[in-house]
Amino acid sequence: MSKKRFEVFDFLASIKLAVILLIVLAISSIFGTVIPQNESFERYVQLYGEFQARVIATFELYDMYHSWWFIFLLALFTLNLIVCSVKRLPPVLNQIKNPNKILDESLEKSLTLVDTLKKKGDPDYWKNAVREYLKKKYGSLYEEKRDDKTYYYIEKGKYSRLGVYITHLSIVIIFIGGIIGAIWGFRGFVQIPEGEAVNHVFIRGKSQPYKLDFILRCDDFSLSYYPMGMVKEYRSDVSIIENGQVVKKDHLIVNKPLTYKGLTFYQSSYGVIDRVGKLVAFTKSPNNAKTYELTLSDKFVNIPGTGDYVKIIDFYPNLDNVGPAIILQLAEAGKMPVNFPVYKNLPDRDMYPEGGYLFKYIDYHETHYTGLQVTKDPGVWVVWIGCILMMVGLYVSFFVNRKRIWARIYFDNERTNITIAGHAPRSRLFEEEFAKVLEDLKEMKA
Amino acid sequence: MESSLFISGKLLSITTFVYFLAMFFYIIYVISRNNIMGLLGTSATLAGFFIETGGLVLRWVESHQMGIGRPPLTNLYESLVFFAWCTAGIYLIFEYYYKNRFMGAFVMPFVSLAMAFASFSPNVSQEIQPLVPALQSNWLIYHVITCFFAYAAFAIAAGVSIMYLIRFRKEEKKEPLGAIISLFPSTPTLDDINYKAIAIGFPMLTLGIITGAAWANYAWGSYWSWDPKETWSLITWFVYAAFLHARFTRGWRGTRAAWLSIIGFIAVIITYLGVNLFLSGLHSYAS
Ligand code: HEM
């Protein structure tokens, strides 16, 4: 029974399981990038056929990253990580606290960078020389005399082995942050017409709106453009109102959200509520010269005294590189409606020569609503702390090199025996450094 | 406005040519073992790197002159150019450090192909366009630089892994290595370079994913939304994490690690190109 339990424990603690899980996670994650997510069952039937759609439904591939089996894999992965780290950390901590400072025979055998020099002369002289040399090169060192032998020990970057554990811990912390967000956070949206205010937002998948404990007013929404007509900025000027008082005025643009009382508002969309265009229409027929001053919107307006109707369909800030243009739809009595642009900067350009009127652009104005995304995520700070820890952990495990140097000195057979050993598993440069130490010591004379 | 009208466009075209030249020199060097060819390869790579640096800086300056100043890292063309720049730069460091030019024949093809794809593919626009609002963020710069640094390191790791597999096959079968392969670094050294490159790439990719998450959180209010590009970067990250752990597991070192490195780089290419060209999402450069 207890043997079985150990087997399970060892399996859960094994790196082999970690490698397998990482590969399984990598492969399974592909599905969700190929199969469109969050579509209806009918859509999957359309895309892939009846049977495949059933498979998709059974394995929750329509929302794969939140499916039971993917969550299970992540949970198993986390368990693997925790069990493995908990099992290995205590011995590592113990080694950091009590490193093997004495270069005895068994240690010497386990190391590859070892060499022994035999020097003539007084052992005390050599002890001193080696100690001073190492001190000068590496700073402090540990010294111990045992029997008739003297041992030195130097360790640099001894905490580098903790990097892995910091990294592993950070993954658990990031997961915790994600879970906090999933439980206590939400994502919503709200649309506010210019000049109006709201005290609630809508949460996706819920019919009840979420009530804010303040009022959010959209004072203005504006678009600005690059010279060539592409949108440069979407901007909402907003006020936050509490107890009838404006407590905060700010603006939102994409990449500059607004956070208030744990809620963050993001500029995410906009729409046109109203278009008001002032135009002048001249009749083209020479025996019926008339001028009409028109105020148009996106609903048909009758041209007075005629059977003709006209409305605004769209507006471009920079059409065909000649500046603003209104797109009109003109429905003359007995003819099919026709769409054509009216340019602000080309007043004589007639884009509908067959039509009965020439239009001139006077003024145009739109009112908008702004579309804001709203989120609350109390876990996000936990995630960032996890991310910072992860970078610290990765830095420590990859860029802080642990290196150790041992020396053993004793007098034997008329000679002073100096054995030097070194170990730095991560650093190729250390081999050269060690060779240099040996060479320096070889060259020393009593 | 075609960028070929600009000096930067010219410089970057020259770069493409020079990198191809470097690739051929390295390949001839591998075949002929003529040291002059190797030296020419290094010189061409170095020259290409400097011309490209000039091209990138000028492109930035030119965007300011057009009144839309933004870093040259924002569309597919520029990211390919930047990938080539990082890979050439990191490769030069590795060549200097390991004193071996053979890797050039395996790494420079990635660099030249990236430049060629950027320059000649009809899917890749070279225009200097203004930034849409979503891209106007300093996070963009940090995100792109860290990701591409990582991609470059992974490209080198993949090149070295291919060399490893070729040499290992021969050694395993006890066949004579032949004139060319015997000049490859030894298999332990190749394995070591592979690991070192990934040890640089992995933290960089991690930082790239984190800066991307920070930016997404800032722009859209969600640090992770499983969009295809995000997911593929995570897949890539899993593969390299598997690589790092495979080293601690007997039976997973050497050959399997080399394969993981190559598979990891395929995941990089899918993350980088495949997602933009074939899958939709927040990241598609197209639109
Ligand atoms: C994606 C998740 C993971 C990441 C990012 C990660 C990260 C790392 C890193 C960076 C290293 C150092 C590698 C090196 O020095 O070459 C490492 C080592 C290690 N990891 Fe992980 N790890 C992950 C998951 C796991 C899991 C699930 C286990 C569970 C068994 C695990 C067990 C280990 C062990 C035992 C080591 C070696 C420690 C040593 O040097 O003795 N890791 N990990």
Side-chain angles (χ1 to χ4, degrees):
Chain A
M1 171 69 203
S2 75
K3 188 159 177 275
K4 268 253 164 59
R5 208 184 298 156
F6 272 116
E7 271 170 28
V8 172
F9 181 79
D10 282 348
F11 175 66
L12 276 179
S14 67
I15 308 192
K16 202 177 207 164
L17 178 64
V19 174
I20 291 169
L21 279 176
L22 283 165
I23 292 174
V24 170
L25 279 170
I27 293 173
S28 59
S29 296
I30 296 174
F31 292 119
T33 69
V34 181
I35 300 169
Q37 296 288 286
N38 295 310
E39 301 279 353
S40 67
F41 184 77
E42 289 72 33
R43 180 91 186 103
Y44 291 116
V45 174
Q46 228 175 28
L47 280 171
Y48 303 107
E50 181 78 31
F51 175 74
Q52 286 86 338
R54 284 242 186 80
V55 173
I56 287 174
T58 311
F59 291 98
E60 297 180 8
L61 293 178
Y62 53 82
D63 188 12
M64 200 212 99
Y65 306 106
H66 303 101
S67 65
W68 53 270
W69 60 269
F70 195 74
I71 303 270
F72 171 77
L73 278 181
L74 287 177
L76 186 60
F77 176 76
T78 315
L79 186 67
N80 179 210
L81 187 65
I82 294 172
V83 172
C84 170
S85 300
V86 167
K87 181 180 163 194
R88 285 169 189 252
L89 185 57
V92 170
L93 285 177
N94 193 29
Q95 281 173 27
I96 290 175
K97 238 193 267 158
N98 311 305
N100 205 344
K101 297 173 186 161
I102 303 300
L103 183 65
D104 55 22
E105 235 158 75
S106 71
L107 178 59
E108 187 179 338
K109 280 220 182 78
S110 71
L111 297 168
T112 45
L113 298 178
V114 191
D115 207 348
T116 300
L117 311 173
K118 297 190 189 261
K119 297 279 194 182
K120 276 189 232 167
D122 177 20
D124 284 334
Y125 169 84
W126 282 111
K127 280 174 205 163
N128 202 30
V130 171
R131 188 200 311 112
E132 290 313 309
Y133 172 80
L134 290 175
K135 241 191 189 159
K136 200 165 151 228
K137 199 165 165 86
Y138 294 106
S140 62
L141 85 179
Y142 172 85
E143 177 171 357
E144 182 172 330
K145 289 192 171 60
R146 250 190 221 179
D147 307 327
D148 50 350
K149 296 173 181 154
T150 299
Y151 297 92
Y152 295 125
Y153 176 68
I154 292 163
E155 181 168 9
K156 294 275 166 210
K158 70 174 166 186
Y159 293 110
S160 77
R161 295 176 75 193
L162 292 182
V164 170
Y165 299 95
I166 298 172
T167 309
H168 289 166
L169 176 68
S170 73
I171 293 170
V172 178
I173 291 177
I174 289 172
F175 279 158
I176 292 173
I179 292 169
I180 292 176
I183 296 176
W184 288 289
F186 64 77
R187 288 168 73 73
F189 66 95
V190 64
Q191 295 179 341
I192 320 175
E194 282 175 306
E196 293 187 22
V198 295
N199 66 351
H200 60 264
V201 300
F202 297 94
I203 295 177
R204 250 150 241 174
K206 282 201 185 161
S207 53
Q208 281 289 322
Y210 175 90
K211 201 153 170 330
L212 305 174
D213 42 11
F214 52 86
I215 291 173
L216 182 69
R217 189 174 69 202
C218 173
D219 299 325
D220 187 31
F221 175 84
S222 56
L223 292 142
S224 58
Y225 301 90
Y226 287 108
M228 46 284 253
M230 295 161 90
V231 175
K232 182 174 181 183
E233 190 173 279
Y234 304 102
R235 172 181 168 128
S236 302
D237 287 276
V238 296
S239 303
I240 287 171
I241 299 166
E242 274 182 302
N243 305 322
Q245 302 252 308
V246 174
V247 291
K248 188 168 177 157
K249 265 182 165 315
D250 205 342
H251 71 273
L252 287 105
I253 56 178
V254 182
N255 276 308
K256 183 190 166 296
L258 166 69
T259 300
Y260 192 73
K261 292 208 164 161
L263 293 179
T264 309
F265 296 87
Y266 301 83
Q267 181 67 57
S268 99
S269 64
Y270 79 100
V272 176
I273 302 175
D274 252 339
R275 305 173 187 277
V276 182
K278 288 203 168 31
L279 291 100
V280 177
F282 306 95
T283 49
K284 287 183 196 164
S285 142
N287 46 19
N288 181 22
K290 277 197 180 140
T291 307
Y292 303 93
E293 285 186 16
L294 300 171
T295 301
L296 301 183
S297 70
D298 47 11
K299 309 241 158 36
F300 273 122
V301 168
N302 178 240
I303 299 177
T306 70
D308 307 333
Y309 290 83
V310 62
K311 71 175 178 181
I312 298 175
I313 305 242
D314 209 347
F315 168 80
Y316 291 93
N318 184 4
L319 186 66
D320 303 329
N321 262 328
V322 292
I326 297 172
I327 311 294
L328 288 185
Q329 185 172 71
L330 177 62
E332 291 184 81
K335 287 195 200 168
M336 292 292 284
V338 173
N339 300 348
F340 57 93
V342 177
Y343 297 97
K344 181 178 184 183
N345 300 332
L346 302 173
D348 302 323
R349 174 74 68 87
D350 183 3
M351 297 302 286
Y352 181 33
E354 299 82 37
Y357 305 88
L358 176 66
F359 290 89
K360 209 175 126 197
Y361 183 122
I362 305 294
D363 188 27
Y364 177 80
H365 181 75
E366 299 177 334
T367 39
H368 300 108
Y369 67 83
T370 182
L372 303 182
Q373 164 119 18
V374 190
T375 63
K376 178 175 164 188
D377 188 348
V380 75
W381 288 107
V382 181
V383 172
W384 295 146
I385 288 170
C387 289
I388 291 169
L389 268 185
M390 182 179 285
M391 289 320 300
V392 170
L394 288 176
Y395 177 82
V396 171
S397 45
F398 288 118
F399 299 109
V400 176
N401 283 319
R402 182 164 79 125
K403 61 181 168 196
R404 291 177 292 170
I405 294 172
W406 297 262
R408 180 183 62 216
I409 303 177
Y410 66 97
F411 193 70
D412 180 42
N413 230 345
E414 304 294 305
R415 292 278 187 279
T416 300
N417 286 270
I418 307 174
T419 305
I420 306 275
H423 185 62
R426 278 270 165 64
S427 167
R428 277 170 65 88
L429 289 175
F430 182 73
E431 286 173 28
E432 288 167 31
E433 181 180 322
F434 185 75
K436 175 88 175 53
V437 168
L438 274 180
E439 201 175 306
D440 287 349
L441 292 176
K442 260 181 205 155
E443 279 173 9
M444 278 187 201
K445 299 228 160 55
Chain B
M1 254 171 277
E2 272 299 307
S3 80
S4 53
L5 296 178
F6 293 106
I7 303 171
S8 70
K10 290 235 170 61
L11 287 182
L12 294 174
S13 306
I14 297 173
T15 307
T16 310
F17 176 73
V18 174
Y19 281 153
F20 262 101
L21 219 58
M23 177 179 94
F24 285 119
F25 284 139
Y26 279 123
I27 290 173
I28 297 171
Y29 168 63
V30 165
I31 296 168
S32 71
R33 300 165 61 188
N34 180 338
N35 278 330
I36 294 180
M37 285 295 150
L39 203 63
L40 282 174
T42 306
S43 315
T45 308
L46 205 61
F49 182 74
F50 281 117
I51 299 171
E52 192 178 5
T53 310
L56 280 168
V57 171
L58 257 180
R59 198 173 160 94
W60 201 334
V61 172
E62 282 162 1
S63 80
H64 273 281
Q65 287 167 350
M66 289 168 68
I68 53 174
R70 90 271 191 296
L73 302 170
T74 57
N75 58 24
L76 185 54
Y77 172 74
E78 294 171 39
S79 71
L80 282 161
V81 170
F82 187 66
F83 167 75
W85 185 79
C86 293
T87 310
I90 297 182
Y91 167 71
L92 284 169
I93 295 170
F94 271 75
E95 184 189 286
Y96 176 78
Y97 186 65
Y98 283 93
K99 307 268 181 282
N100 187 303
R101 292 208 163 95
F102 276 74
M103 293 178 291
F106 291 82
V107 173
M108 287 313 286
F110 290 126
V111 175
S112 321
L113 286 180
M115 288 302 286
F117 187 61
S119 309
F120 305 129
S121 166
N123 290 333
V124 182
S125 157
Q126 301 186 12
E127 278 176 54
I128 301 185
Q129 290 144 333
L131 289 184
V132 298
L135 295 182
Q136 295 165 17
S137 167
N138 279 338
W139 286 109
L140 169 73
I141 304 179
Y142 309 136
H143 177 55
V144 173
I145 289 182
T146 45
C147 284
F148 279 81
F149 215 100
Y151 294 174
F154 293 146
I156 288 169
V160 167
S161 294
I162 294 170
M163 293 169 80
Y164 178 94
L165 290 175
I166 294 173
R167 179 160 183 154
F168 185 81
R169 280 281 141 81
K170 288 265 182 185
E171 286 181 355
E172 198 183 28
K173 290 195 207 138
K174 304 230 160 35
E175 285 174 15
L177 290 181
I180 297 167
I181 298 173
S182 66
L183 279 180
F184 284 12
S186 67
T187 43
T189 305
L190 287 168
D191 189 46
D192 186 57
I193 300 174
N194 191 12
Y195 174 73
K196 285 274 156 58
I198 289 173
I200 294 171
F202 190 74
M204 276 295 161
L205 178 66
T206 310
L207 201 54
I209 294 174
I210 292 174
T211 50
W215 179 19
N217 189 54
Y218 211 61
W220 292 288
S222 157
Y223 52 84
W224 195 263
S225 39
W226 294 104
D227 122 298
K229 188 135 181 157
E230 278 173 1
T231 308
W232 270 100
S233 71
L234 188 70
I235 292 169
T236 309
W237 193 72
F238 282 148
V239 174
Y240 286 110
F243 171 93
L244 290 172
H245 292 84
R247 299 178 65 80
F248 297 110
T249 317
R250 238 183 309 126
W252 274 89
R253 309 183 122 230
T255 324
R256 285 200 200 178
W259 277 113
L260 273 177
S261 172
I262 292 168
I263 292 169
F265 192 64
I266 293 172
V268 166
I269 293 174
I270 296 175
T271 309
Y272 171 32
L273 290 179
V275 175
N276 292 324
L277 298 179
F278 305 116
L279 302 170
S280 61
L282 299 171
H283 278 87
S284 22
Y285 289 111
S287 83

